[in-house]
Amino acid sequence: MTRPGLRPFLTGWAFATLLICVTAPSSQAADMRKVIRTPYQSAETNFDCAVESDEFTGTLCDNIFDSLLQYDYLARPVKLQGRAAVGLPDISADGLTYIFKLKPGIFFTSDVSFGGKKHELTASDYVYSLKRILDPRLISKWQFLLDKKLIGGDELVADAQKAGKFNYDKPIAGLEAPDKNTLIIRLKKPDYNLSYILALPATSAVAREVVEHYGSTFPEHPVGTGPYYLKDWRRSLRVTLEANPDFREDYFESAITADAHADPRDLAIAAHLKGKRLPLAGRIEMSPIEEEQPRWLAYLNNQYDFIRPIPTPFIEVAMPGGKLAANLAKIGMTTRPDEVAWLTYTTFNMQDKILGGYTPEKIALRRAMSMAYPVEDEIAIIEKNQALKAWSPIAQGMAGFVDERTDIFDYNPAKANALLDTYGYLDRDGDGWRELPDGSPLVIDMASVPDQRERSRMELWRRAMERIGIRITNNKVEKLPELRKQAQNGKVLMFNYGWIADYPDGENFLQLFTTDSIGGANYSLFSLPEFDRLYKQIVTMPDSPERTAIYQRMVRLLWVYNPWRVNTLKQGTVLIQPWIIGYRKHPFAHEPFRYLDVDLSKLPGNK
């Protein structure tokens, strides 16, 4: 994989590459007759990209705002390309200075906060937006991206904590805009994932005028420079985006190679998009449907244009034997893999007086629970074999992943029972349930979201823990955003969750266990000085065998203390209606709405 930030060398082999670029571009704008409709598994949070981290919010932000960089839609291995930036940054030899040049003539959509004037996107907007991630008052879930990295950033945060207010006007050497189209980022230490970070929606540009005009309601008023703008929002019911009338002329470009490894479907997409102005569809309609059955039935009723992924209870209906059902193939439906580095796991609250702690008896309790849980049953019953068993807290395929396994995630209730006996978790009163070593009750409440899928998973956990004499309750049932918030505050003992990689490096998973991530995405509240020390070491290292060896040490530390019961690596499938052209899920990007086209002649009623 090309190291992020390095410019690809094309001159010697460009003749052998199918470079899809601007060749007689079309000036045609998005077609308002073309509408993309899709359901989501959980509701949006809001539109503050610098703060929220759920997938639905990320998808919305990715289409309303502009990050500096983006992923080449079709190139594999993955490659970065310019988005608001002209191209990849110029990086100093020591890896400490990044210089971006912005494309001129990019404008925010019109809004009253601009006082009737057009607001051009400038480097100062990125300076302001990246500072927002550091603002302690916002409690950004993305703070880890920039924390302790920018020259002058820590001092700015410290001043804000003392004053109770973040000084956005105070200049720092780490973020400078010497002119309107030049952004300079200076780091304290090298960060070889910075270019990937600057392709995330969280690092997109917002306008200070908009944030200050709307104040506390800013998260409900997204005003960006992206291909779409917010047309209508009915919280938790529907989000409608329309093609941005102020969007710049942006044409499809990819460096997909026409070689023996290229997927013919991707080459066909590239040929279809060649020279086309983006976006193609005039409107996007998204609806959160948390329950799987109504989501599936709505898709079959042609209410949606693709469903990602196929709900697991219906995978055998849609793909018996792993092949698309004949009745669906007959009407022209197609499938693509849901390419995503998505690990699922069960968190243990490391600060809880019963479940948490770093002493041998506490480790033994979590380890016994992990060994007693049959993840193979979860894969067969709940995932319908659309997942693989995972051992590592780093997803397979990520830089730094090592295919090493541990017996604490192997199903072994006999060994779990023996471990609990050894460390004094005994049934002293003969009621069939173990007590803590001090004789007090051992009851663990496992939180969940309110849907049938999680109810089925809870039943698996109850049965598994019953086999080893541990009583599991399910008294806390909350919507996912509220559950995450409570987990951050230490009010959740256990819950099932998943992490979708933001960029293709195992560091993105390891940061979930740092002390600095407590209050953010470290839902287990794990804190270990040795782990923190190793993490500070790896974030300044390029991908190398030496760094991978340190990753391996960190993974083994996590196996020792067991803040997660690592469960599965998702292997979902996207089902696509026959009139949708160009769908492919990128493993590290959100929904590809700007690239999707609609064949109007194939729409129901037009045949």
Side-chain angles (χ1 to χ4, degrees):
M1 182 182 297
T2 304
R3 180 180 295 174
L6 300 183
R7 298 182 183 278
F9 181 73
L10 295 174
T11 55
W13 47 269
F15 66 90
T17 300
L18 176 61
L19 181 60
I20 310 299
C21 59
V22 180
T23 62
S26 163
S27 61
Q28 184 177 0
D31 189 337
M32 298 305 297
R33 299 174 301 166
K34 297 178 178 180
V35 181
I36 306 293
R37 305 156 302 166
T38 187
Y40 258 76
Q41 297 180 52
S42 60
E44 75 289 346
T45 306
N46 59 52
F47 300 91
D48 194 342
C49 316
V51 174
E52 303 301 337
S53 64
D54 60 280
E55 187 183 7
F56 194 2
T57 299
T59 289
L60 296 169
C61 289
D62 191 40
N63 285 279
I64 295 173
F65 300 93
D66 275 316
S67 50
L68 286 161
L69 302 175
Q70 64 185 9
Y71 289 94
D72 183 320
Y73 181 39
L74 296 174
R76 303 293 187 275
V78 299
K79 298 179 185 295
L80 290 170
Q81 59 184 199
R83 183 165 173 172
V86 172
L88 300 182
D90 289 321
I91 305 174
S92 61
D94 58 9
L96 298 177
T97 303
Y98 286 64
I99 301 176
F100 290 88
K101 290 292 184 180
L102 270 63
K103 297 174 182 176
I106 298 177
F107 290 91
F108 284 88
T109 54
S110 300
D111 190 78
V112 293
S113 56
F114 297 134
K117 299 178 182 178
K118 296 189 71 176
H119 183 99
E120 185 176 5
L121 175 67
T122 68
S124 295
D125 293 311
Y126 281 101
V127 170
Y128 171 74
S129 301
L130 293 173
K131 283 181 175 179
R132 288 190 76 239
I133 296 175
L134 298 176
D135 189 341
R137 295 176 305 170
L138 296 181
I139 316 177
S140 169
K141 297 179 179 67
W142 300 100
Q143 186 181 12
F144 70 91
L145 296 174
L146 301 178
D147 190 39
K148 298 179 175 60
K149 294 181 180 181
L150 303 174
I151 295 177
D154 293 348
E155 293 77 5
L156 200 58
V157 171
D159 290 346
Q161 290 170 334
K162 290 178 182 178
K165 184 178 180 180
F166 194 90
N167 187 355
Y168 285 94
D169 294 312
K170 184 176 181 179
I172 61 172
L175 291 170
E176 287 188 357
D179 60 66
K180 74 173 189 176
N181 290 324
T182 304
L183 173 68
I184 301 177
I185 299 177
R186 296 186 179 91
L187 304 175
K188 293 180 177 181
K189 297 178 181 179
D191 182 352
Y192 293 97
N193 286 320
L194 184 65
S195 291
Y196 290 135
I197 288 170
L198 295 172
L200 290 170
T203 61
S204 296
V206 298
R208 184 171 183 174
E209 295 92 326
V210 178
V211 177
E212 294 181 348
H213 176 81
Y214 290 106
S216 62
T217 65
F218 162 71
E220 301 171 7
H221 294 87
V223 179
T225 59
Y228 292 95
Y229 76 99
L230 180 63
K231 176 67 175 178
D232 182 54
W233 180 29
R234 301 185 184 185
R235 186 183 290 274
S236 300
L237 291 176
R238 185 173 68 242
V239 179
T240 302
L241 307 181
E242 278 198 0
N244 179 3
D246 300 317
F247 191 55
R248 61 191 175 274
E249 289 197 17
D250 187 32
Y251 297 91
F252 176 75
E253 184 175 323
S254 176
I256 182 174
T257 55
D259 57 26
H261 301 290
D263 189 321
R265 295 173 296 179
D266 294 339
L267 296 177
I269 292 171
H272 177 79
L273 293 176
K274 182 176 181 179
K276 284 187 170 65
R277 183 177 175 181
L278 304 175
L280 303 176
R283 192 163 76 251
I284 311 294
E285 296 178 356
M286 293 162 283
S287 304
I289 305 178
E290 296 182 354
E291 292 287 352
E292 293 174 310
Q293 184 179 48
R295 192 163 66 247
W296 172 245
L297 294 177
Y299 172 80
L300 290 183
N301 199 37
N302 295 334
Q303 292 176 235
Y304 297 110
D305 300 307
F306 65 89
I307 187 167
R308 173 182 164 258
I310 298 172
T312 48
F314 305 100
I315 192 68
E316 293 171 356
V317 175
M319 300 186 66
K323 185 178 180 181
L324 184 61
N327 62 312
L328 302 181
K330 184 177 180 179
I331 60 177
M333 290 187 188
T334 56
T335 62
R336 296 299 300 258
D338 186 10
E339 294 183 72
V340 60
W342 183 354
L343 275 181
T344 72
Y345 46 89
T346 303
T347 68
F348 297 124
N349 184 338
M350 297 293 288
Q351 293 182 5
D352 179 68
K353 64 181 181 179
I354 294 177
L355 195 56
Y358 299 80
T359 55
E361 73 277 6
K362 298 298 188 180
I363 295 171
L365 175 59
R366 295 190 296 272
R367 202 172 269 200
M369 294 174 70
S370 294
M371 288 190 290
Y373 182 67
V375 75
E376 292 86 355
D377 288 354
E378 178 178 313
I379 291 171
I381 298 169
I382 298 176
E383 301 294 348
K384 303 299 183 185
N385 297 313
Q386 293 290 290
L388 301 174
K389 183 176 178 178
W391 280 266
S392 174
I394 298 175
Q396 183 177 341
M398 307 283 283
F401 171 81
V402 175
D403 190 10
E404 185 179 25
R405 302 183 178 189
T406 173
D407 61 0
I408 66 170
F409 297 144
D410 286 335
Y411 180 58
N412 194 332
K415 189 173 181 180
N417 274 309
L419 190 61
L420 292 170
D421 290 344
T422 300
Y423 282 90
Y425 295 92
L426 306 174
D427 177 12
R428 292 173 172 83
D429 56 12
D431 66 351
W433 301 108
R434 295 177 183 270
E435 283 81 46
L436 291 168
D438 64 4
S440 56
L442 173 54
V443 181
I444 298 171
D445 189 65
M446 186 172 185
S448 70
V449 297
D451 65 25
Q452 181 56 48
R453 181 184 181 82
E454 286 307 303
R455 287 189 285 272
S456 299
R457 199 190 316 270
M458 277 301 311
E459 187 59 29
L460 283 179
W461 270 98
R462 279 198 197 95
R463 291 176 182 174
M465 295 304 99
E466 185 177 351
R467 294 186 193 103
I468 59 172
I470 293 178
R471 194 194 312 263
I472 290 282
T473 59
N474 182 215
N475 296 325
K476 190 182 292 292
V477 180
E478 304 279 2
K479 297 280 190 179
L480 188 56
E482 178 61 25
L483 201 56
R484 282 197 298 257
K485 188 184 301 182
Q486 292 193 28
Q488 289 172 327
N489 294 324
K491 296 180 180 179
V492 173
L493 273 67
M494 294 173 63
F495 81 115
N496 293 296
Y497 196 59
W499 185 263
I500 300 173
D502 302 304
Y503 44 87
D505 195 300
E507 178 268 331
N508 188 236
F509 286 92
L510 295 176
Q511 56 86 19
L512 300 175
F513 301 96
T514 65
T515 302
D516 287 342
S517 293
I518 292 176
N522 184 349
Y523 297 120
S524 65
L525 309 182
F526 179 75
S527 178
L528 189 72
E530 174 65 5
F531 188 92
D532 290 342
R533 184 187 68 79
L534 292 172
Y535 182 78
K536 290 175 182 177
Q537 184 177 348
I538 62 167
V539 293
T540 64
M541 299 174 68
D543 185 16
S544 62
E546 293 76 17
R547 192 187 69 163
T548 297
I550 298 175
Y551 279 24
Q552 193 171 16
R553 287 172 59 191
M554 296 172 76
V555 167
R556 289 173 179 175
L557 281 174
L558 296 174
W559 285 344
V560 167
Y561 292 99
N562 204 185
W564 282 4
R565 200 294 174 204
V566 181
N567 294 327
T568 69
L569 177 66
K570 291 277 197 175
Q571 300 282 294
T573 302
V574 187
L575 186 58
I576 308 157
Q577 296 281 13
W579 50 84
I580 294 297
I581 303 171
Y583 190 97
R584 183 180 186 184
K585 176 65 180 69
H586 192 284
F588 302 105
H590 292 278
E591 295 293 5
F593 291 136
R594 80 198 72 173
Y595 304 110
L596 300 186
D597 203 353
V598 179
D599 185 340
L600 297 174
S601 69
K602 292 184 179 180
L603 284 174
N606 291 349
K607 296 180 181 179

PDB file of all heavy atoms in Angstrom, residues 194-207:
ATOM      1  N   LEU A 194      -1.762  10.564   9.377  1.00  0.00           N
ATOM      2  CA  LEU A 194      -2.416  11.870   9.322  1.00  0.00           C
ATOM      3  C   LEU A 194      -3.190  12.078   8.023  1.00  0.00           C
ATOM      4  O   LEU A 194      -4.291  12.639   8.028  1.00  0.00           O
ATOM      5  CB  LEU A 194      -1.395  13.005   9.509  1.00  0.00           C
ATOM      6  CG  LEU A 194      -2.018  14.396   9.550  1.00  0.00           C
ATOM      7  CD1 LEU A 194      -2.916  14.558  10.771  1.00  0.00           C
ATOM      8  CD2 LEU A 194      -0.952  15.488   9.527  1.00  0.00           C
ATOM      9  N   SER A 195      -2.645  11.639   6.905  1.00  0.00           N
ATOM     10  CA  SER A 195      -3.364  11.819   5.641  1.00  0.00           C
ATOM     11  C   SER A 195      -4.680  11.054   5.645  1.00  0.00           C
ATOM     12  O   SER A 195      -5.696  11.539   5.139  1.00  0.00           O
ATOM     13  CB  SER A 195      -2.491  11.373   4.458  1.00  0.00           C
ATOM     14  OG  SER A 195      -1.403  12.250   4.282  1.00  0.00           O
ATOM     15  N   TYR A 196      -4.684   9.853   6.226  1.00  0.00           N
ATOM     16  CA  TYR A 196      -5.940   9.120   6.365  1.00  0.00           C
ATOM     17  C   TYR A 196      -6.910   9.881   7.265  1.00  0.00           C
ATOM     18  O   TYR A 196      -8.117   9.961   6.995  1.00  0.00           O
ATOM     19  CB  TYR A 196      -5.693   7.735   6.966  1.00  0.00           C
ATOM     20  CG  TYR A 196      -4.989   6.761   6.058  1.00  0.00           C
ATOM     21  CD1 TYR A 196      -3.935   5.978   6.538  1.00  0.00           C
ATOM     22  CD2 TYR A 196      -5.371   6.596   4.732  1.00  0.00           C
ATOM     23  CE1 TYR A 196      -3.292   5.064   5.723  1.00  0.00           C
ATOM     24  CE2 TYR A 196      -4.735   5.689   3.907  1.00  0.00           C
ATOM     25  CZ  TYR A 196      -3.689   4.915   4.402  1.00  0.00           C
ATOM     26  OH  TYR A 196      -3.065   4.016   3.586  1.00  0.00           O
ATOM     27  N   ILE A 197      -6.395  10.442   8.351  1.00  0.00           N
ATOM     28  CA  ILE A 197      -7.236  11.196   9.281  1.00  0.00           C
ATOM     29  C   ILE A 197      -7.913  12.362   8.578  1.00  0.00           C
ATOM     30  O   ILE A 197      -9.090  12.664   8.819  1.00  0.00           O
ATOM     31  CB  ILE A 197      -6.379  11.681  10.468  1.00  0.00           C
ATOM     32  CG1 ILE A 197      -6.020  10.500  11.369  1.00  0.00           C
ATOM     33  CG2 ILE A 197      -7.088  12.787  11.254  1.00  0.00           C
ATOM     34  CD1 ILE A 197      -4.978  10.828  12.438  1.00  0.00           C
ATOM     35  N   LEU A 198      -7.200  13.001   7.678  1.00  0.00           N
ATOM     36  CA  LEU A 198      -7.731  14.178   6.995  1.00  0.00           C
ATOM     37  C   LEU A 198      -8.659  13.813   5.837  1.00  0.00           C
ATOM     38  O   LEU A 198      -9.111  14.685   5.107  1.00  0.00           O
ATOM     39  CB  LEU A 198      -6.585  15.079   6.535  1.00  0.00           C
ATOM     40  CG  LEU A 198      -5.787  15.664   7.712  1.00  0.00           C
ATOM     41  CD1 LEU A 198      -4.556  16.387   7.224  1.00  0.00           C
ATOM     42  CD2 LEU A 198      -6.658  16.586   8.554  1.00  0.00           C
ATOM     43  N   ALA A 199      -8.962  12.523   5.707  1.00  0.00           N
ATOM     44  CA  ALA A 199     -10.011  12.074   4.780  1.00  0.00           C
ATOM     45  C   ALA A 199     -11.295  11.747   5.532  1.00  0.00           C
ATOM     46  O   ALA A 199     -12.296  11.395   4.906  1.00  0.00           O
ATOM     47  CB  ALA A 199      -9.537  10.846   3.994  1.00  0.00           C
ATOM     48  N   LEU A 200     -11.288  11.862   6.856  1.00  0.00           N
ATOM     49  CA  LEU A 200     -12.469  11.550   7.660  1.00  0.00           C
ATOM     50  C   LEU A 200     -13.445  12.724   7.678  1.00  0.00           C
ATOM     51  O   LEU A 200     -13.027  13.889   7.738  1.00  0.00           O
ATOM     52  CB  LEU A 200     -12.047  11.239   9.098  1.00  0.00           C
ATOM     53  CG  LEU A 200     -11.284   9.937   9.317  1.00  0.00           C
ATOM     54  CD1 LEU A 200     -10.721   9.882  10.729  1.00  0.00           C
ATOM     55  CD2 LEU A 200     -12.183   8.740   9.065  1.00  0.00           C
ATOM     56  N   PRO A 201     -14.744  12.446   7.673  1.00  0.00           N
ATOM     57  CA  PRO A 201     -15.725  13.536   7.776  1.00  0.00           C
ATOM     58  C   PRO A 201     -15.543  14.393   9.027  1.00  0.00           C
ATOM     59  O   PRO A 201     -15.880  15.568   9.034  1.00  0.00           O
ATOM     60  CB  PRO A 201     -17.072  12.790   7.800  1.00  0.00           C
ATOM     61  CG  PRO A 201     -16.815  11.502   7.115  1.00  0.00           C
ATOM     62  CD  PRO A 201     -15.400  11.138   7.462  1.00  0.00           C
ATOM     63  N   ALA A 202     -15.000  13.801  10.085  1.00  0.00           N
ATOM     64  CA  ALA A 202     -14.784  14.548  11.327  1.00  0.00           C
ATOM     65  C   ALA A 202     -13.860  15.735  11.132  1.00  0.00           C
ATOM     66  O   ALA A 202     -13.932  16.718  11.879  1.00  0.00           O
ATOM     67  CB  ALA A 202     -14.214  13.624  12.396  1.00  0.00           C
ATOM     68  N   THR A 203     -12.981  15.668  10.138  1.00  0.00           N
ATOM     69  CA  THR A 203     -12.027  16.755   9.899  1.00  0.00           C
ATOM     70  C   THR A 203     -12.487  17.689   8.773  1.00  0.00           C
ATOM     71  O   THR A 203     -11.709  18.490   8.280  1.00  0.00           O
ATOM     72  CB  THR A 203     -10.638  16.187   9.564  1.00  0.00           C
ATOM     73  OG1 THR A 203     -10.709  15.395   8.365  1.00  0.00           O
ATOM     74  CG2 THR A 203     -10.123  15.310  10.694  1.00  0.00           C
ATOM     75  N   SER A 204     -13.758  17.580   8.385  1.00  0.00           N
ATOM     76  CA  SER A 204     -14.299  18.445   7.334  1.00  0.00           C
ATOM     77  C   SER A 204     -14.394  19.890   7.816  1.00  0.00           C
ATOM     78  O   SER A 204     -14.380  20.177   9.016  1.00  0.00           O
ATOM     79  CB  SER A 204     -15.685  17.957   6.907  1.00  0.00           C
ATOM     80  OG  SER A 204     -15.609  16.676   6.331  1.00  0.00           O
ATOM     81  N   ALA A 205     -14.550  20.795   6.870  1.00  0.00           N
ATOM     82  CA  ALA A 205     -14.610  22.218   7.193  1.00  0.00           C
ATOM     83  C   ALA A 205     -16.030  22.677   7.446  1.00  0.00           C
ATOM     84  O   ALA A 205     -16.946  22.380   6.675  1.00  0.00           O
ATOM     85  CB  ALA A 205     -14.007  23.037   6.055  1.00  0.00           C
ATOM     86  N   VAL A 206     -16.212  23.401   8.543  1.00  0.00           N
ATOM     87  CA  VAL A 206     -17.437  24.144   8.812  1.00  0.00           C
ATOM     88  C   VAL A 206     -17.059  25.620   8.875  1.00  0.00           C
ATOM     89  O   VAL A 206     -15.896  25.970   9.083  1.00  0.00           O
ATOM     90  CB  VAL A 206     -18.107  23.704  10.136  1.00  0.00           C
ATOM     91  CG1 VAL A 206     -18.503  22.248  10.071  1.00  0.00           C
ATOM     92  CG2 VAL A 206     -17.183  23.946  11.330  1.00  0.00           C
ATOM     93  N   ALA A 207     -18.044  26.487   8.708  1.00  0.00           N
ATOM     94  CA  ALA A 207     -17.787  27.926   8.744  1.00  0.00           C
ATOM     95  C   ALA A 207     -18.049  28.461  10.148  1.00  0.00           C
ATOM     96  O   ALA A 207     -19.080  28.163  10.758  1.00  0.00           O
ATOM     97  CB  ALA A 207     -18.674  28.643   7.733  1.00  0.00           C
TER      98      ALA A 207
END
